[in-house]
Amino acid sequence: MVLPRSVQEVTAESLALAKLVRPKPEILVLGLGSTMQGVPRGVREFVSGQGMQLEALATGAAVSTYNILVGEDRRVMAALLPVA
């Protein structure tokens, strides 16, 4: 599998690991790179179908959000695109 380098390359397949994580995360924090961008519909549908909330932010903000949620003992996972 090729890792996505932009939000346009993020697919349900690239996030399939979320199906295996136990306990199941309640939130997926998606880092979109250096700027906010729209998340593809298929990705939003996949995350919702897994019973998770989606928090899509620029990667720097996504890292901060992830750390805050972990500090609150939330079940969270992150998928972070590089800041280029």
Side-chain angles (χ1 to χ4, degrees):
M1 173 175 72
V2 177
L3 296 177
R5 307 264 324 146
S6 71
V7 70
Q8 294 82 14
E9 296 176 4
V10 177
T11 64
E13 181 183 345
S14 66
L15 297 174
L17 183 63
K19 294 180 185 179
L20 305 175
V21 176
R22 296 291 181 261
K24 183 173 279 289
E26 59 184 279
I27 302 169
L28 170 66
V29 177
L30 179 59
L32 301 172
S34 57
T35 60
M36 286 290 300
Q37 304 172 51
V39 177
R41 176 186 226 161
V43 171
R44 288 183 279 126
E45 290 173 351
F46 171 78
V47 173
S48 176
Q50 295 301 308
M52 294 185 289
Q53 296 175 344
L54 177 63
E55 291 291 333
L57 308 157
T59 296
V63 170
S64 296
T65 298
Y66 173 84
N67 287 330
I68 290 167
L69 292 169
V70 167
E72 294 174 350
D73 291 325
R74 303 287 298 272
R75 292 187 326 270
V76 61
M77 69 179 291
L80 306 170
L81 294 171
V83 176

Coordinates of all heavy atoms in Angstrom, one line a residue:
M1 N 0.8 -1.2 0.0 CA 0.0 0.0 0.0 C 0.9 1.2 0.0 O 1.9 1.3 0.7 CB -0.9 0.0 1.2 CG -1.7 1.3 1.4 SD -2.9 1.3 2.7 CE -1.8 1.4 4.1
V2 N 0.5 2.2 -0.8 CA 1.2 3.5 -0.8 C 0.6 4.4 0.2 O -0.6 4.6 0.2 CB 1.1 4.1 -2.3 CG1 1.8 5.5 -2.3 CG2 1.8 3.2 -3.3
L3 N 1.4 5.0 1.0 CA 0.9 6.0 2.0 C 0.5 7.3 1.3 O 1.2 7.8 0.5 CB 1.9 6.2 3.1 CG 2.3 5.0 3.9 CD1 3.4 5.4 4.9 CD2 1.1 4.5 4.7
P4 N -0.7 7.8 1.7 CA -1.1 9.1 1.1 C -0.2 10.2 1.5 O 0.4 10.3 2.6 CB -2.5 9.3 1.7 CG -2.8 8.2 2.6 CD -1.6 7.3 2.7
R5 N 0.0 11.1 0.6 CA 0.8 12.3 0.8 C 0.0 13.6 0.8 O 0.5 14.7 1.1 CB 2.0 12.4 -0.2 CG 2.8 11.2 -0.3 CD 4.1 11.1 0.4 NE 4.9 12.3 0.6 CZ 5.6 12.5 1.7 NH1 5.6 11.7 2.7 NH2 6.3 13.6 1.7
S6 N -1.3 13.5 0.4 CA -2.2 14.6 0.3 C -3.6 14.1 0.7 O -3.9 12.9 0.6 CB -2.2 15.3 -1.0 OG -2.9 14.4 -2.0
V7 N -4.5 15.0 1.1 CA -5.8 14.6 1.5 C -6.6 14.0 0.3 O -7.4 13.1 0.5 CB -6.6 15.8 2.1 CG1 -7.0 16.8 1.0 CG2 -7.8 15.3 2.8
Q8 N -6.3 14.3 -0.9 CA -6.9 13.7 -2.1 C -6.6 12.3 -2.2 O -7.3 11.5 -2.8 CB -6.6 14.5 -3.4 CG -7.1 15.9 -3.4 CD -6.2 16.9 -2.7 OE1 -5.1 16.6 -2.3 NE2 -6.7 18.1 -2.5
E9 N -5.4 11.8 -1.6 CA -5.0 10.5 -1.7 C -5.5 9.6 -0.5 O -5.3 8.4 -0.5 CB -3.5 10.4 -1.7 CG -2.9 11.0 -3.0 CD -1.4 11.0 -3.0 OE1 -0.7 10.5 -2.0 OE2 -0.8 11.6 -3.9
V10 N -6.1 10.2 0.5 CA -6.6 9.5 1.6 C -7.9 8.8 1.2 O -8.8 9.4 0.6 CB -6.9 10.4 2.8 CG1 -7.5 9.6 4.0 CG2 -5.7 11.1 3.3
T11 N -8.0 7.5 1.5 CA -9.1 6.6 1.1 C -9.5 5.8 2.3 O -8.8 5.7 3.3 CB -8.8 5.7 -0.1 OG1 -7.8 4.8 0.4 CG2 -8.3 6.5 -1.3
A12 N -10.7 5.1 2.2 CA -11.1 4.2 3.2 C -10.0 3.1 3.4 O -9.7 2.6 4.5 CB -12.4 3.6 2.9
E13 N -9.4 2.7 2.2 CA -8.4 1.6 2.3 C -7.2 2.1 3.1 O -6.6 1.3 3.8 CB -8.0 1.3 0.9 CG -6.9 0.2 0.8 CD -6.4 -0.1 -0.6 OE1 -7.1 0.2 -1.6 OE2 -5.4 -0.8 -0.7
S14 N -6.8 3.3 2.9 CA -5.6 3.8 3.6 C -5.9 4.0 5.1 O -4.9 4.0 5.9 CB -5.1 5.2 3.0 OG -6.0 6.2 3.2
L15 N -7.1 4.0 5.5 CA -7.5 4.1 6.9 C -8.0 2.7 7.5 O -8.5 2.7 8.6 CB -8.6 5.1 7.1 CG -8.2 6.6 6.7 CD1 -9.4 7.5 6.8 CD2 -7.1 7.1 7.6
A16 N -7.8 1.7 6.7 CA -8.4 0.4 7.1 C -7.9 -0.2 8.4 O -8.6 -0.9 9.1 CB -8.1 -0.7 6.0
L17 N -6.7 0.3 8.9 CA -6.2 -0.1 10.2 C -7.2 0.2 11.3 O -7.3 -0.5 12.3 CB -4.9 0.6 10.4 CG -4.1 0.2 11.7 CD1 -3.8 -1.2 11.8 CD2 -2.9 1.1 11.9
A18 N -8.0 1.2 11.1 CA -9.0 1.6 12.1 C -10.0 0.5 12.4 O -10.5 0.4 13.5 CB -9.8 2.8 11.6
K19 N -10.2 -0.4 11.5 CA -11.1 -1.6 11.7 C -10.5 -2.6 12.7 O -11.2 -3.3 13.3 CB -11.3 -2.3 10.4 CG -12.1 -1.5 9.3 CD -12.2 -2.4 8.1 CE -12.9 -1.7 7.0 NZ -13.0 -2.6 5.8
L20 N -9.2 -2.6 12.8 CA -8.5 -3.6 13.7 C -8.2 -3.1 15.1 O -7.9 -3.9 15.9 CB -7.2 -4.0 13.0 CG -7.3 -4.5 11.6 CD1 -5.9 -4.8 11.0 CD2 -8.2 -5.8 11.5
V21 N -8.2 -1.8 15.3 CA -7.8 -1.3 16.6 C -8.8 -1.6 17.6 O -10.0 -1.4 17.4 CB -7.6 0.3 16.5 CG1 -7.3 0.9 17.9 CG2 -6.5 0.6 15.5
R22 N -8.4 -2.1 18.8 CA -9.2 -2.4 19.9 C -8.6 -1.9 21.2 O -7.4 -2.1 21.4 CB -9.4 -4.0 20.0 CG -10.2 -4.6 18.9 CD -11.6 -4.1 18.8 NE -12.4 -4.8 17.7 CZ -12.6 -4.2 16.6 NH1 -12.2 -3.0 16.3 NH2 -13.3 -4.8 15.7
P23 N -9.3 -1.3 22.1 CA -10.7 -0.9 21.9 C -10.9 0.0 20.7 O -10.0 0.8 20.4 CB -11.2 -0.3 23.2 CG -9.9 0.1 23.8 CD -8.8 -0.7 23.3
K24 N -12.1 0.0 20.1 CA -12.4 0.8 19.0 C -12.3 2.3 19.4 O -12.9 2.7 20.3 CB -13.8 0.5 18.4 CG -14.1 1.2 17.2 CD -15.4 0.8 16.6 CE -15.3 -0.4 15.7 NZ -14.6 -0.4 14.5
P25 N -11.6 3.1 18.6 CA -11.5 4.5 18.8 C -12.9 5.1 18.7 O -13.7 4.7 17.8 CB -10.5 5.0 17.8 CG -9.8 3.8 17.3 CD -10.7 2.7 17.4
E26 N -13.1 6.2 19.5 CA -14.4 6.9 19.3 C -14.1 8.1 18.4 O -15.1 8.7 17.8 CB -14.9 7.4 20.7 CG -14.0 8.3 21.4 CD -14.5 8.6 22.8 OE1 -15.3 9.5 22.9 OE2 -14.1 7.9 23.8
I27 N -12.9 8.5 18.2 CA -12.5 9.7 17.4 C -11.3 9.4 16.5 O -10.3 8.8 17.0 CB -12.2 10.9 18.3 CG1 -13.4 11.2 19.2 CG2 -11.8 12.1 17.4 CD1 -13.0 12.2 20.3
L28 N -11.4 9.8 15.3 CA -10.2 9.7 14.4 C -9.8 11.2 14.1 O -10.6 12.0 13.6 CB -10.6 9.1 13.1 CG -9.5 9.2 12.0 CD1 -8.2 8.5 12.4 CD2 -10.0 8.7 10.6
V29 N -8.6 11.5 14.5 CA -8.1 12.9 14.2 C -7.3 12.7 12.9 O -6.3 12.0 12.9 CB -7.2 13.4 15.4 CG1 -6.6 14.7 15.0 CG2 -8.0 13.5 16.7
L30 N -7.7 13.5 11.9 CA -7.1 13.4 10.6 C -6.3 14.7 10.4 O -6.9 15.8 10.4 CB -8.1 13.2 9.5 CG -7.6 13.2 8.1 CD1 -6.6 12.0 7.9 CD2 -8.8 13.0 7.1
G31 N -5.0 14.6 10.3 CA -4.1 15.8 10.0 C -4.0 15.9 8.5 O -3.6 15.0 7.8
L32 N -4.4 17.1 8.0 CA -4.6 17.3 6.6 C -3.3 18.0 5.9 O -3.4 18.4 4.8 CB -5.8 18.2 6.3 CG -7.1 17.7 6.9 CD1 -8.2 18.7 6.8 CD2 -7.5 16.4 6.1
G33 N -2.2 18.0 6.6 CA -1.1 18.7 6.0 C -1.0 20.1 6.6 O -1.4 20.4 7.7
S34 N -0.4 21.0 5.8 CA -0.2 22.4 6.3 C -1.4 23.3 6.4 O -1.4 24.3 7.0 CB 0.9 23.1 5.5 OG 0.5 23.1 4.1
T35 N -2.5 22.9 5.6 CA -3.7 23.8 5.6 C -4.9 22.9 5.7 O -4.9 21.7 5.4 CB -3.8 24.6 4.3 OG1 -3.8 23.7 3.2 CG2 -2.6 25.5 4.2
M36 N -6.0 23.6 6.1 CA -7.3 22.9 6.1 C -7.8 22.6 4.7 O -7.6 23.5 3.8 CB -8.4 23.8 6.8 CG -8.2 23.8 8.3 SD -8.6 22.3 9.1 CE -10.3 22.1 8.7
Q37 N -8.3 21.5 4.5 CA -8.9 21.1 3.2 C -10.1 20.3 3.4 O -10.3 19.7 4.5 CB -7.9 20.3 2.4 CG -6.5 21.0 2.2 CD -5.5 20.0 1.6 OE1 -5.8 19.4 0.6 NE2 -4.4 19.9 2.3
G38 N -10.9 20.1 2.3 CA -12.1 19.3 2.4 C -11.7 17.8 2.5 O -10.7 17.4 1.9
V39 N -12.4 17.0 3.3 CA -12.2 15.6 3.4 C -13.0 14.9 2.4 O -14.2 15.2 2.3 CB -12.5 15.1 4.8 CG1 -12.3 13.6 4.9 CG2 -11.6 15.9 5.8
P40 N -12.5 14.0 1.6 CA -13.3 13.3 0.6 C -14.5 12.6 1.2 O -14.4 12.0 2.4 CB -12.3 12.2 0.0 CG -10.9 12.8 0.2 CD -11.1 13.6 1.5
R41 N -15.6 12.6 0.5 CA -16.8 12.0 1.0 C -16.6 10.5 1.4 O -17.2 10.1 2.5 CB -17.9 12.1 -0.1 CG -19.2 11.4 0.3 CD -20.2 11.4 -0.8 NE -21.4 11.8 -0.3 CZ -22.4 12.2 -1.0 NH1 -22.3 12.3 -2.3 NH2 -23.6 12.5 -0.4
G42 N -15.9 9.7 0.7 CA -15.7 8.3 1.0 C -15.0 8.1 2.3 O -15.3 7.2 3.1
V43 N -14.1 9.1 2.7 CA -13.4 9.0 3.9 C -14.4 9.3 5.1 O -14.4 8.6 6.1 CB -12.2 10.0 4.0 CG1 -11.6 10.1 5.4 CG2 -11.1 9.5 3.0
R44 N -15.2 10.4 4.9 CA -16.2 10.7 5.9 C -17.1 9.6 6.1 O -17.5 9.2 7.3 CB -16.9 12.0 5.5 CG -16.0 13.2 5.7 CD -16.8 14.5 5.3 NE -16.8 14.7 3.9 CZ -17.9 14.9 3.2 NH1 -19.1 15.0 3.8 NH2 -17.8 15.0 1.9
E45 N -17.6 8.9 5.1 CA -18.5 7.8 5.2 C -17.9 6.6 5.9 O -18.5 5.9 6.7 CB -19.0 7.4 3.8 CG -20.0 8.5 3.2 CD -20.4 8.2 1.8 OE1 -19.8 7.3 1.1 OE2 -21.2 8.9 1.3
F46 N -16.6 6.3 5.5 CA -15.9 5.2 6.2 C -15.8 5.4 7.7 O -16.1 4.6 8.5 CB -14.5 5.1 5.6 CG -13.7 4.1 6.3 CD1 -13.8 2.7 6.2 CD2 -12.7 4.5 7.2 CE1 -13.1 1.8 6.9 CE2 -11.9 3.6 7.9 CZ -12.1 2.3 7.8
V47 N -15.4 6.6 8.1 CA -15.2 6.9 9.5 C -16.5 6.8 10.2 O -16.6 6.2 11.3 CB -14.5 8.3 9.7 CG1 -14.5 8.7 11.2 CG2 -13.1 8.3 9.1
S48 N -17.6 7.4 9.7 CA -18.9 7.3 10.3 C -19.4 5.9 10.4 O -19.9 5.5 11.4 CB -19.9 8.2 9.4 OG -21.2 8.0 9.9
G49 N -19.1 5.1 9.3 CA -19.5 3.7 9.3 C -18.8 2.9 10.3 O -19.3 1.8 10.7
Q50 N -17.6 3.3 10.8 CA -16.9 2.6 11.8 C -17.4 3.1 13.2 O -16.8 2.7 14.2 CB -15.4 2.9 11.7 CG -14.8 2.3 10.4 CD -15.0 0.8 10.3 OE1 -14.7 0.0 11.3 NE2 -15.6 0.3 9.2
G51 N -18.3 4.0 13.3 CA -18.8 4.5 14.5 C -17.9 5.5 15.2 O -18.0 5.7 16.4
M52 N -17.1 6.2 14.4 CA -16.2 7.1 15.0 C -16.6 8.6 14.5 O -17.2 8.7 13.5 CB -14.7 6.9 14.5 CG -14.1 5.6 15.0 SD -12.4 5.4 14.5 CE -12.6 5.1 12.7
Q53 N -16.2 9.5 15.3 CA -16.3 10.9 14.9 C -15.0 11.3 14.2 O -13.9 10.7 14.5 CB -16.4 11.8 16.2 CG -17.6 11.6 17.0 CD -17.6 12.4 18.3 OE1 -16.5 13.0 18.7 NE2 -18.7 12.6 18.9
L54 N -15.1 12.2 13.3 CA -13.9 12.7 12.5 C -13.6 14.1 12.9 O -14.5 15.0 12.9 CB -14.2 12.6 11.0 CG -13.1 13.2 10.1 CD1 -11.9 12.3 10.2 CD2 -13.6 13.2 8.7
E55 N -12.4 14.3 13.3 CA -11.8 15.7 13.6 C -10.8 15.9 12.5 O -9.7 15.3 12.6 CB -11.2 15.8 15.0 CG -12.2 15.7 16.1 CD -13.1 16.9 16.2 OE1 -12.7 18.0 15.7 OE2 -14.3 16.8 16.7
A56 N -11.0 16.7 11.5 CA -10.1 17.0 10.4 C -9.5 18.4 10.6 O -10.3 19.4 10.6 CB -10.8 16.8 9.1
L57 N -8.2 18.5 10.7 CA -7.5 19.7 11.0 C -6.2 19.8 10.3 O -5.7 18.7 9.9 CB -7.2 19.8 12.5 CG -8.4 19.6 13.5 CD1 -7.9 19.2 14.8 CD2 -9.2 20.9 13.6
A58 N -5.6 21.0 10.2 CA -4.2 21.0 9.7 C -3.4 20.2 10.7 O -3.7 20.0 11.9 CB -3.7 22.5 9.7
T59 N -2.3 19.6 10.2 CA -1.6 18.6 10.9 C -1.1 19.1 12.3 O -1.2 18.4 13.3 CB -0.5 18.0 10.1 OG1 -1.0 17.3 9.0 CG2 0.4 17.0 10.9
G60 N -0.6 20.3 12.3 CA -0.1 20.8 13.6 C -1.2 20.9 14.7 O -1.0 20.5 15.8
A61 N -2.4 21.4 14.3 CA -3.5 21.4 15.2 C -4.0 20.0 15.5 O -4.5 19.8 16.6 CB -4.6 22.3 14.5
A62 N -3.9 19.1 14.5 CA -4.4 17.7 14.8 C -3.5 17.1 15.8 O -4.0 16.3 16.7 CB -4.3 16.9 13.5
V63 N -2.2 17.3 15.8 CA -1.3 16.8 16.9 C -1.7 17.3 18.2 O -1.8 16.5 19.2 CB 0.2 17.1 16.5 CG1 1.1 16.7 17.7 CG2 0.6 16.3 15.3
S64 N -1.9 18.6 18.3 CA -2.4 19.2 19.6 C -3.7 18.6 20.1 O -3.8 18.2 21.3 CB -2.5 20.7 19.5 OG -1.2 21.3 19.2
T65 N -4.6 18.5 19.2 CA -5.9 17.9 19.5 C -5.8 16.5 20.0 O -6.4 16.1 21.0 CB -6.9 18.0 18.3 OG1 -7.1 19.4 18.0 CG2 -8.2 17.4 18.6
Y66 N -5.0 15.7 19.3 CA -4.8 14.3 19.7 C -4.3 14.2 21.1 O -4.8 13.5 21.9 CB -3.8 13.6 18.7 CG -3.4 12.3 19.1 CD1 -4.2 11.2 18.8 CD2 -2.3 12.0 19.8 CE1 -3.9 9.9 19.2 CE2 -1.9 10.8 20.2 CZ -2.7 9.7 19.9 OH -2.4 8.4 20.3
N67 N -3.2 15.0 21.4 CA -2.6 15.0 22.7 C -3.6 15.4 23.8 O -3.7 14.8 24.9 CB -1.4 15.9 22.8 CG -0.2 15.3 22.0 OD1 -0.1 14.1 21.9 ND2 0.6 16.1 21.4
I68 N -4.5 16.4 23.5 CA -5.5 16.8 24.5 C -6.5 15.7 24.7 O -6.8 15.4 25.9 CB -6.2 18.1 24.0 CG1 -5.3 19.3 24.1 CG2 -7.5 18.3 24.8 CD1 -5.8 20.5 23.3
L69 N -6.9 15.1 23.7 CA -7.9 14.0 23.8 C -7.3 12.8 24.6 O -8.0 12.2 25.4 CB -8.4 13.6 22.4 CG -9.3 14.6 21.7 CD1 -9.5 14.2 20.3 CD2 -10.6 14.8 22.5
V70 N -6.1 12.4 24.3 CA -5.4 11.4 25.0 C -5.3 11.7 26.5 O -5.6 10.9 27.4 CB -4.0 11.1 24.4 CG1 -3.2 10.2 25.4 CG2 -4.2 10.4 23.1
G71 N -5.0 13.0 26.8 CA -4.9 13.5 28.2 C -6.2 13.4 28.9 O -6.3 13.3 30.1
E72 N -7.3 13.4 28.1 CA -8.7 13.3 28.7 C -9.1 11.8 28.7 O -10.3 11.5 29.0 CB -9.7 14.1 27.9 CG -9.4 15.6 27.9 CD -10.3 16.3 27.0 OE1 -11.0 15.7 26.1 OE2 -10.3 17.6 27.1
D73 N -8.2 10.9 28.5 CA -8.5 9.4 28.4 C -9.6 9.1 27.4 O -10.4 8.1 27.6 CB -8.9 8.9 29.8 CG -7.7 8.9 30.8 OD1 -6.6 8.7 30.3 OD2 -7.9 9.2 32.0
R74 N -9.6 9.8 26.3 CA -10.5 9.5 25.2 C -9.9 8.4 24.4 O -8.7 8.3 24.2 CB -10.8 10.7 24.4 CG -11.4 11.9 25.1 CD -12.8 11.8 25.6 NE -13.7 11.6 24.5 CZ -14.3 12.6 23.9 NH1 -14.1 13.9 24.3 NH2 -15.2 12.4 23.0
R75 N -10.7 7.6 23.7 CA -10.3 6.6 22.8 C -10.1 7.2 21.4 O -11.1 7.5 20.7 CB -11.3 5.4 22.7 CG -11.3 4.6 24.0 CD -12.1 3.3 23.9 NE -13.3 3.4 23.0 CZ -14.5 3.8 23.4 NH1 -14.7 4.1 24.6 NH2 -15.5 3.8 22.5
V76 N -8.9 7.5 21.1 CA -8.6 8.3 19.9 C -7.5 7.7 19.1 O -6.6 7.1 19.7 CB -8.3 9.8 20.3 CG1 -7.1 9.9 21.2 CG2 -8.2 10.7 19.1
M77 N -7.6 7.9 17.8 CA -6.4 7.5 16.9 C -6.2 8.7 16.0 O -7.1 9.5 15.8 CB -6.6 6.2 16.2 CG -7.7 6.2 15.1 SD -7.9 4.6 14.3 CE -6.3 4.5 13.4
A78 N -5.0 8.7 15.4 CA -4.6 9.8 14.5 C -4.1 9.2 13.2 O -3.4 8.2 13.2 CB -3.6 10.7 15.1
A79 N -4.4 9.9 12.1 CA -3.8 9.7 10.8 C -3.3 11.1 10.4 O -4.1 12.0 10.2 CB -4.8 9.1 9.8
L80 N -2.0 11.2 10.2 CA -1.4 12.5 10.0 C -0.7 12.6 8.6 O 0.2 11.8 8.4 CB -0.5 12.8 11.1 CG -1.0 12.7 12.5 CD1 0.1 12.9 13.6 CD2 -2.1 13.8 12.7
L81 N -1.1 13.5 7.8 CA -0.4 13.8 6.6 C 0.8 14.7 6.9 O 0.7 15.6 7.8 CB -1.3 14.5 5.6 CG -2.4 13.6 5.1 CD1 -3.4 14.4 4.2 CD2 -1.9 12.4 4.3
P82 N 1.9 14.6 6.1 CA 3.0 15.5 6.4 C 2.8 16.9 6.1 O 1.9 17.2 5.2 CB 4.1 14.9 5.4 CG 3.4 14.2 4.4 CD 2.1 13.7 5.0
V83 N 3.5 17.8 6.8 CA 3.4 19.2 6.5 C 4.5 19.5 5.5 O 5.7 19.2 5.8 CB 3.6 20.0 7.8 CG1 3.6 21.5 7.5 CG2 2.5 19.7 8.8
A84 N 4.2 19.9 4.3 CA 5.2 20.1 3.3 C 5.4 21.6 3.0 O 4.7 22.4 3.3 CB 4.8 19.4 2.0

